[in-house]
Amino acid sequence: MAGRPVDHQRRAELLDAVVDYTVEHGFSELSWRPVAAALGVSTTTLVHRFGTKEQMLEAILGRLRERIFAATNDTLGEQPDLATAVRAVWTRTSDPRRGAEFRLFFAVYGRALQAPEQFAEFLDRVVADWMNALCETQGPGTDPVTAKRTATLVIATIRGLLLDLLATGDRARVQDAAESFLATLERRDGNARAGEARDGTARVGKVRDGEARDAEAS
């Protein structure tokens, strides 16, 4: 006999509710009964949805990564250059209203590093998602090796600054360091645009010289 059809929307809503609970309470307090009571469902419902506590944690990790990337990826895609994009991402990720979410992110990141085989997908995607987006932001004219190197530096710096901010709460010091880093990106983009402008001027000059020689020859 066929089983009851899966309600994918309900499953997604339940996962989001569990993630919200974990953001508020932390994953160290994650167990069936408190979560079920907070969400107004039975423990049987949670077990049916997730299977085991570790599988629930895997699902939370994946959904949290998706949320964070979605929130920053929209920002990346709207900006005209790397420096502006990274500034927008820093502004969003360092917003105090997102502090609980990123505290959970770093907590579960550490958990994933302790069990890399179990959380292989999370570890593969947690850098790759941002890497691809930041490489695209640098434009098709950027050498791929250079783009990846720059993206790696950006990811490491932003996450390091954010971890410092969450650990110390010293917003003035961390923001000052962030501004210094962002200024280097702005100078880099400015130099790149200036180089492109010079190359464009040189190409126009060569075309005009060629046209002038052709005119003289005719």
Side-chain angles (χ1 to χ4, degrees):
M1 184 173 71
R4 185 171 57 185
V6 176
D7 186 339
H8 293 286
Q9 181 176 349
R10 173 57 182 156
R11 287 168 67 92
E13 290 172 351
L14 184 59
L15 175 57
D16 279 325
V18 172
V19 173
D20 290 340
Y21 174 90
T22 311
V23 167
E24 183 177 354
H25 297 278
F27 77 90
S28 61
E29 302 297 324
L30 202 62
S31 60
W32 297 122
R33 291 186 184 280
V35 174
L39 272 54
V41 299
S42 67
T43 56
T44 302
T45 298
L46 293 178
V47 173
H48 178 72
R49 167 62 179 88
F50 297 105
T52 67
K53 181 179 174 181
E54 288 303 311
Q55 287 174 319
M56 180 166 65
L57 182 56
E58 288 180 46
I60 291 169
L61 280 168
R63 184 65 183 121
L64 182 65
R65 177 192 57 77
E66 290 172 359
R67 279 189 183 184
I68 290 174
F69 178 66
T72 53
N73 189 47
D74 290 345
T75 300
L76 283 170
E78 295 168 356
Q79 308 306 325
D81 54 51
L82 179 66
T84 309
V86 175
R87 179 176 291 280
V89 167
W90 171 249
T91 299
R92 180 169 292 191
T93 56
S94 62
D95 187 330
R97 292 172 296 183
R98 303 187 69 91
E101 190 173 77
F102 278 100
R103 277 192 290 273
L104 176 63
F105 171 79
F106 284 115
V108 295
Y109 205 154
R111 178 67 174 268
L113 291 174
Q114 292 176 336
E117 293 183 1
Q118 180 182 355
F119 301 109
E121 182 179 359
F122 174 84
L123 293 173
D124 287 343
R125 298 284 298 277
V126 75
V127 171
D129 285 344
W130 273 35
M131 180 70 68
N132 295 335
L134 286 167
C135 286
E136 290 176 4
T137 302
Q138 296 174 64
T142 305
D143 172 66
V145 174
T146 301
K148 184 169 288 189
R149 183 187 306 122
T150 301
T152 300
L153 177 61
V154 168
I155 293 168
T157 303
I158 292 298
R159 288 184 176 168
L161 289 169
L162 185 56
L163 183 59
D164 188 335
L165 177 61
L166 294 172
T168 67
D170 191 344
R171 183 167 293 274
R173 176 181 58 81
V174 175
Q175 183 63 36
D176 180 63
E179 290 295 342
S180 177
F181 173 65
L182 292 167
T184 65
L185 294 180
E186 288 164 356
R187 286 193 294 271
R188 170 189 175 280
D189 284 347
N191 291 338
R193 286 193 292 271
E196 291 172 358
R198 287 194 298 270
D199 291 344
T201 300
R203 285 194 295 270
V204 170
K206 288 180 180 179
V207 170
R208 288 177 176 172
D209 289 345
E211 291 174 345
R213 286 193 296 270
D214 291 343
E216 289 175 359
S218 61

